[in-house]
Amino acid sequence: MPIPLVNSIASWFLKKRISQIEHFLENPNEVQLELLMNLLITAKKTELGLQYDFATITNYKTFTERIPVTTYEDIQPMIERARRGESNIFWPKPIKWFAKSSGTTNAKSKFIPVTDVSLEYCHYAASKDLLCMYLNNNPGAQLFNGKSLRLGGSKELYEQNGTYYGDLSAILIDNLPLWAEFSSTPSSKVSLMGDWETKIDAIIKETLRENVTSLAGVPSWMLVLMNEVLEHTQKGNLFEVWPNLEAYFHGGVSFAPYEEQYRNILPSSDFKYYEIYNASEGFFAIQDRNDSDELLLMLDYGIFYEFIPMQTFHTPNQKVIPLSEVEVDQNYAVVITTNGGLWRYMIGDTIRFTSTDPYRVKVTGRTKHHINVFGEELIIENAEDALRRVCTATKSKIAEYTAGPIFMHNGEKGAHEWIIEFNKAPENIDEFAFLLDEALQNINSDYEAKRFNNMTLNSLKLNVARSGLFYEWLKKNDKLGGQHKIPRLSNQRMYLDDLLQMNQ
């Protein structure tokens, strides 16, 4: 397809879609309520719909009174039935695909239903919207003059009882619309290779001859690929490999620990970074402005949002609120009802609203990925902020890290223990540890209170990981690839202890 024609089609779609986006920006709560009612009508004759009498739910209050908030464990038996080929359980049409996801590096797997309608009107619609917003903000963009280098955690899909399961990226690649296949590299065959290290070599071989104009993937694994490209080509930066690179679309983990390294291998103030927020359960938010760290919550993808204030999370006073009641700068757990057949489902993420007009958010972490053993409520956003400050002060660079508690024992006070792998280590590790502890106190008042005069917590303990330790740990646990992440914070020590033992 000629490039001018592609640009003309993109321009037409852009104008049409921008008007639709403006509609939900102007009427966010009305759009959300209408969406909820449509989901209830669609599923009213399913097993779940009959159980909770969806047909007579006409408002949000009744919806919350009838249908409980659920976790994966609550709905796993229904999902297993759907995976065995049963239909009309929680969605009226048969479900063919299930995205296999742990959400962490736990061995236990989840199988998230992916319906035809969620593929088209959520996941693929979001990919088009991402391009729309980018092109709207950058009228001179030349993305369609070349291809996007996509890096997923894909492995081949596996068939069982007439249904298929695998990484979400494998499902997306297997069902790619023509426009996406045409504009992407590497080929689906290479993208779906199972062995990560073999796949990296194949990606490099296939993409070096392409005119790559954008990158898309998880920051940690994309950085591994980019460094391999530079080593293979013996080039100083990525523009020497792909001169027309203009944007990187990223999500999955915080970009903060990797930002400086990216700017070193992509040394241009004109290069654009665009963040997304998606998961196996759906596509939620997109950066809609250049040079922003806030994401626009997308309200018309077939996802109805609710939120649990983290102050009440898993307490007797836990409350669930709709979008219309959220407040800026509060931390919330996310609950979703979707066109993928999930009803009031806790996805395990936490977010913070930076704006309510329009609704913009930042991802702050996971409900399970924090340290709150001593009432300190340390979340990933705090950790990333503190590390960024300390790395700037000590001129150091971090590759990977994780942290967990040192539990109180025999009268000894507790503490936090960290293991950090540096790309560039600080000159004085003790000073780095002191500054990190100080930064955490400045950022998090609960941590500061527990550290006051060592009342509850002693100062943190810092271990330096040898080079390549985290990569070896992922490989040992068969977790190499773009969809796997190392938990940054944990209330338990299982990740930390395993890494410390390997580091000896």
Side-chain angles (χ1 to χ4, degrees):
M1 190 181 293
I3 294 300
L5 179 57
V6 174
N7 284 330
S8 296
I9 294 172
S11 177
W12 173 83
F13 183 85
L14 167 66
K15 291 175 183 177
K16 180 181 177 183
R17 182 55 182 148
I18 289 297
S19 66
Q20 295 170 340
I21 291 172
E22 288 173 350
H23 174 64
F24 77 65
L25 292 178
E26 293 170 3
N27 309 281
N29 300 307
E30 293 82 358
V31 166
Q32 276 280 281
L33 186 58
E34 181 182 358
L35 187 154
L36 174 61
M37 293 301 114
N38 287 336
L39 289 173
L40 289 165
I41 291 169
T42 301
K44 67 182 180 181
K45 293 184 179 180
T46 63
E47 182 179 310
L48 201 67
L50 293 172
Q51 177 184 347
Y52 293 114
D53 197 8
F54 284 5
T56 63
I57 298 178
T58 59
N59 56 60
Y60 175 67
K61 183 174 184 293
T62 307
F63 172 71
T64 62
E65 290 170 347
R66 294 242 187 110
I67 306 171
V69 172
T70 60
T71 64
Y72 184 80
E73 288 70 26
D74 296 326
I75 63 174
Q76 184 178 15
M78 286 193 300
I79 288 178
E80 288 306 309
R81 287 171 55 200
R83 289 186 63 215
R84 291 195 295 267
E86 287 190 53
S87 61
N88 209 40
I89 301 171
F90 43 80
W91 193 250
K93 293 186 178 179
I95 299 173
K96 183 178 178 181
W97 301 285
F98 293 83
K100 184 180 179 182
S101 169
S102 61
T104 68
T105 52
N106 292 341
K108 181 174 179 177
S109 294
K110 299 177 182 178
F111 295 89
I112 305 299
V114 180
T115 63
D116 290 341
V117 69
S118 67
L119 267 181
E120 182 176 355
Y121 294 105
C122 184
H123 293 287
Y124 291 139
S127 298
K128 289 183 281 190
D129 279 353
L130 177 61
L131 293 176
C132 270
M133 292 178 185
Y134 178 81
L135 294 172
N136 189 53
N137 294 329
N138 303 281
Q142 298 295 309
L143 286 184
F144 294 114
N145 285 340
K147 294 189 175 183
S148 175
L149 195 167
R150 65 185 181 209
L151 180 64
S154 312
K155 293 184 180 179
E156 61 185 294
L157 290 174
Y158 299 93
E159 190 271 341
Q160 190 175 49
N161 300 314
T163 63
Y164 296 84
Y165 69 90
D167 290 345
L168 175 66
S169 50
I171 295 171
L172 296 177
I173 289 169
D174 195 57
N175 293 278
L176 272 181
L178 182 61
W179 65 268
E181 182 68 42
F182 172 78
S183 60
S184 301
T185 189
S187 64
S188 295
K189 180 181 178 181
V190 169
S191 294
L192 293 172
M193 291 176 68
D195 183 80
W196 169 256
E197 292 170 332
T198 303
K199 180 162 71 174
I200 286 286
D201 292 337
I203 290 173
I204 292 173
K205 186 179 297 184
E206 192 167 298
T207 58
L208 285 182
R209 61 176 181 263
E210 297 282 5
N211 175 27
V212 175
T213 53
S214 66
L215 309 171
V218 175
S220 51
W221 293 108
M222 182 62 77
L223 188 61
V224 171
L225 173 62
M226 296 299 95
N227 284 325
E228 290 285 344
V229 167
L230 292 178
E231 183 175 341
H232 179 86
T233 59
Q234 293 297 294
K235 301 293 186 181
N237 64 65
L238 288 179
F239 296 119
E240 295 177 18
V241 181
W242 297 300
N244 298 315
L245 265 178
E246 62 174 86
Y248 172 38
F249 304 104
H250 63 88
V253 299
S254 170
F255 188 55
Y258 309 101
E259 184 173 357
E260 184 179 351
Q261 296 171 71
Y262 271 85
R263 297 194 187 279
N264 287 337
I265 61 177
L266 290 160
S268 169
S269 58
D270 295 328
F271 188 81
K272 298 293 189 297
Y273 296 87
Y274 265 63
E275 186 175 356
I276 61 172
Y277 172 30
N278 69 329
S280 297
E281 295 87 350
F283 207 119
F284 310 125
I286 298 172
Q287 179 183 328
D288 64 318
R289 299 175 295 180
N290 287 338
D291 306 315
S292 173
D293 60 356
E294 302 173 34
L295 309 181
L296 181 68
L297 195 64
M298 304 303 290
L299 303 180
D300 62 351
Y301 286 168
I303 300 173
F304 179 77
Y305 293 98
E306 297 177 272
F307 304 92
I308 303 174
M310 286 304 291
Q311 301 99 310
T312 70
F313 185 73
H314 278 182
T315 72
N317 298 319
Q318 176 173 296
K319 64 177 181 177
V320 186
I321 61 175
L323 182 66
S324 59
E325 295 181 18
V326 300
E327 298 177 359
V328 171
D329 291 332
Q330 299 297 313
N331 209 31
Y332 295 101
V334 182
V335 177
I336 57 174
T337 295
T338 79
N339 54 11
L342 300 174
W343 298 91
R344 305 199 81 198
Y345 177 83
M346 285 196 295
I347 60 175
D349 289 346
T350 60
I351 65 170
R352 175 170 56 83
F353 283 87
T354 58
S355 165
T356 55
D357 186 19
Y359 288 102
R360 289 197 176 98
V361 302
K362 288 185 179 180
V363 181
T364 55
R366 300 276 296 171
T367 55
K368 293 182 179 179
H369 292 187
H370 61 274
I371 307 178
N372 193 31
V373 174
F374 312 100
E376 66 275 42
E377 194 54 60
L378 183 69
I379 62 174
I380 292 174
E381 186 182 36
N382 300 155
E384 302 282 10
D385 192 4
L387 287 169
R388 183 168 54 249
R389 295 184 190 185
V390 179
C391 283
T392 299
T394 60
K395 298 180 180 178
S396 52
K397 298 178 183 177
I398 288 175
E400 297 287 355
Y401 74 89
T402 193
I406 298 175
F407 295 104
M408 294 178 177
H409 183 65
N410 292 335
E412 286 292 319
K413 294 174 182 176
H416 289 182
E417 185 167 10
W418 294 64
I419 182 166
I420 300 177
E421 182 179 330
F422 291 94
N423 281 327
K424 180 183 178 184
E427 292 184 4
N428 188 318
I429 292 296
D430 291 336
E431 179 191 26
F432 186 98
F434 174 81
L435 292 175
L436 178 57
D437 191 76
E438 193 174 62
L440 290 170
Q441 293 183 61
N442 290 335
I443 291 165
N444 185 314
S445 59
D446 290 324
Y447 182 80
E448 180 184 35
K450 303 304 180 292
R451 284 283 296 114
F452 182 71
N453 289 335
N454 294 346
M455 185 180 299
T456 304
L457 291 176
N458 289 323
S459 58
L460 64 83
K461 179 180 180 181
L462 175 60
N463 303 278
V464 178
R466 57 180 169 78
S467 179
L469 174 68
F470 282 77
Y471 185 91
E472 291 174 23
W473 186 85
L474 286 166
K475 185 175 182 179
K476 183 187 82 169
N477 289 281
D478 193 27
K479 300 294 182 183
L480 289 181
Q483 200 138 328
H484 299 294
K485 307 178 279 286
I486 293 172
R488 299 305 199 187
L489 305 175
S490 175
N491 270 342
Q492 306 298 324
R493 290 185 56 91
M494 53 186 173
Y495 309 113
L496 184 64
D497 285 341
D498 202 11
L499 284 159
L500 289 171
Q501 185 174 8
M502 290 179 63
N503 198 44
Q504 292 177 353

